[in-house]
Amino acid sequence: MRHFLTLADFSKDELLEMIALAQKIKAQTKQKKFVPYMEHQTLGMIFEKSSTRTRVSFETGIYQLGGIGLFLSSNDIQLGRGEPMKDTARVIGRMVDMVMIRTFEQSKLEEFASYSKVPVINGLTDSYHPVQLMADYLTMIEFGKEKNPIVAYVGDGNNMTHSWLMLAAKMGFELRVATPKGYECDPQIVAVALEMAALSGAKITFGDDPKAAVKDADVVTTDTWVSMGQENEKERRIKDFAGFMVDAPMMLLAKSDAIFLHCLPAYRGYEVSEEVFEAHAEVIFSEAENRLHAQKGIMVWLDQHRND
Ligand code: CP
Ligand code: NVA
């Protein structure tokens, strides 16, 4: 049985198998063919943080696969009152067929997974957001940007950046990360990514100059400057991120046909200008829709490998 905790846990071929499944199931869904790949299965969805896309896409996705999703907010379940993760894992794992968790520390997710008898999917932690990157990669394919792209990430060195590192390292493309001083990626995660990059041929570079990162890029991306759990740092962060907004002059430095990706929610006037956001809205909302399709690929793949 496999868990989906970070992209590092899978080979490039395995990730591409999930993407291929996502593409197949997306095409079927578009033709209103709902194949019950996971008939009568229940997906437990534990949320310790807010969500729009993750909740709606997983709940809709499992329903379209013939199963049902259970939305479990930590405010409502005993986990929020102190029941240990490992007990929650052992209880829920006896009742449902798969679990998705959105939580804080990656170690909490890992603890849950180590006690779980069913596959566990990372629906975002402080360290990673791997399901988002699967949707982003599917979107890059759909917009013709997956062949040796230069990807520029401008902004906070956070869970999204870490997952971009993993995607680039697995797929073997060029990723340039520009973060303000003091907001760099986690050095341990960087070390893992660079080790993987050495094997795949990915070129990953770091700096604090957004313009240098974006120059001639095929894909430009960013994320909020204030992630969930960092609300009390908002004022300081907004000051420290001056000059890091992806605006029209910055996008002009990228290739003329570059796309802009954003995992959402987006904060216009901070990490992205209204003008750039609206100019790239078609790609951004395709990316959001692809959460639904990419995650169906991941769930079906994990289901098919539950006896490995
Ligand atoms: N991108 C993303 O994960 O969105 P939600 O926080 O709304 O789930
Ligand atoms: N970095 C953001 C991503 C939200 C989808 C956060 O963790 O809040």
Side-chain angles (χ1 to χ4, degrees), residues 3-305:
H3 300 298
F4 193 88
L5 307 187
T6 97
L7 299 180
D9 301 337
F10 298 92
S11 68
K12 174 178 178 178
D13 286 347
E14 288 172 333
L15 295 173
L16 292 175
E17 280 170 25
M18 294 176 205
I19 294 281
L21 267 171
Q23 288 171 313
K24 183 170 107 181
I25 300 170
K26 179 172 182 177
Q28 290 167 338
T29 305
K30 294 284 175 195
Q31 293 162 10
K32 300 272 175 250
K33 261 180 29 201
F34 297 99
V35 182
Y37 292 95
M38 293 178 70
E39 195 171 18
H40 301 313
Q41 293 201 31
T42 302
L43 175 73
M45 308 186 301
I46 300 174
F47 283 89
E48 292 203 279
K49 293 176 176 171
S50 306
S51 169
T52 298
R53 280 144 288 271
T54 305
R55 178 186 176 175
V56 176
S57 54
F58 269 108
E59 197 162 335
T60 304
I62 188 71
Y63 173 72
Q64 291 180 348
L65 294 171
I68 191 166
L70 283 186
F71 173 67
L72 305 166
S73 160
S74 59
N75 296 329
D76 303 327
I77 61 173
Q78 299 287 6
L79 181 67
R81 297 182 67 247
E83 185 166 17
M85 261 299 182
K86 58 185 184 183
D87 293 358
T88 309
R90 284 178 286 189
V91 171
I92 293 182
R94 285 183 179 230
M95 298 180 191
V96 305
D97 304 284
M98 205 170 277
V99 175
M100 181 243 93
I101 312 182
R102 168 166 286 197
T103 186
F104 292 87
E105 298 86 0
Q106 184 78 5
S107 57
K108 280 172 84 176
L109 173 77
E110 284 166 2
E111 185 189 11
F112 189 103
S114 72
Y115 281 92
S116 177
K117 290 243 185 310
V118 297
V120 176
I121 301 173
N122 182 352
L124 181 146
T125 61
D126 293 344
S127 302
Y128 295 108
H129 197 4
V131 290
Q132 178 69 54
L133 267 290
M134 293 296 276
D136 291 5
Y137 195 63
L138 178 57
T139 310
M140 284 170 63
I141 294 171
E142 289 177 350
F143 286 84
K145 300 293 179 197
E146 87 282 18
K147 297 220 164 59
N148 300 317
I150 298 174
V151 178
Y153 177 95
V154 174
D156 189 20
N158 64 13
N159 45 11
M160 278 301 297
T161 333
H162 295 155
S163 291
W164 273 108
L165 293 178
M166 294 300 160
L167 184 74
K170 283 290 170 191
M171 298 301 164
F173 60 75
E174 179 169 352
L175 175 66
R176 302 175 187 159
V177 177
T179 52
K181 288 202 172 67
Y183 295 93
E184 293 87 359
C185 294
D186 178 332
Q188 281 182 327
I189 294 176
V190 169
V192 173
L194 292 180
E195 214 170 284
M196 285 170 10
L199 300 174
S200 69
K203 186 176 169 205
I204 303 180
T205 54
F206 300 90
D208 60 5
D209 181 353
K211 293 195 180 92
V214 167
K215 194 171 167 8
D216 296 327
D218 299 284
V219 178
V220 179
T221 186
T222 184
D223 183 23
T224 181
W225 295 341
V226 186
S227 284
M228 290 180 278
Q230 299 174 332
E231 290 75 8
N232 56 4
E233 300 172 20
K234 185 172 174 183
E235 232 170 282
R236 174 166 59 83
R237 284 176 164 267
I238 288 170
K239 278 197 204 114
D240 292 347
F241 280 81
F244 278 75
M245 184 197 296
V246 179
D247 56 11
M250 199 184 285
M251 277 308 286
L252 276 178
L253 300 172
K255 291 210 178 101
S256 56
D257 63 348
I259 60 169
F260 173 77
L261 294 174
H262 195 308
C263 67
L264 303 177
Y267 298 90
R268 278 104 150 159
Y270 295 99
E271 78 273 10
V272 60
S273 70
E274 170 77 13
E275 190 184 1
V276 167
F277 186 92
E278 291 303 334
H280 294 269
E282 181 52 32
V283 180
I284 295 167
F285 291 106
S286 299
E287 177 188 5
E289 180 190 334
N290 277 335
R291 290 292 302 278
L292 172 65
H293 307 298
Q295 289 160 193
K296 282 194 281 184
I298 295 167
M299 287 192 283
V300 171
W301 192 94
L302 292 174
D303 185 45
Q304 290 175 348
H305 290 79

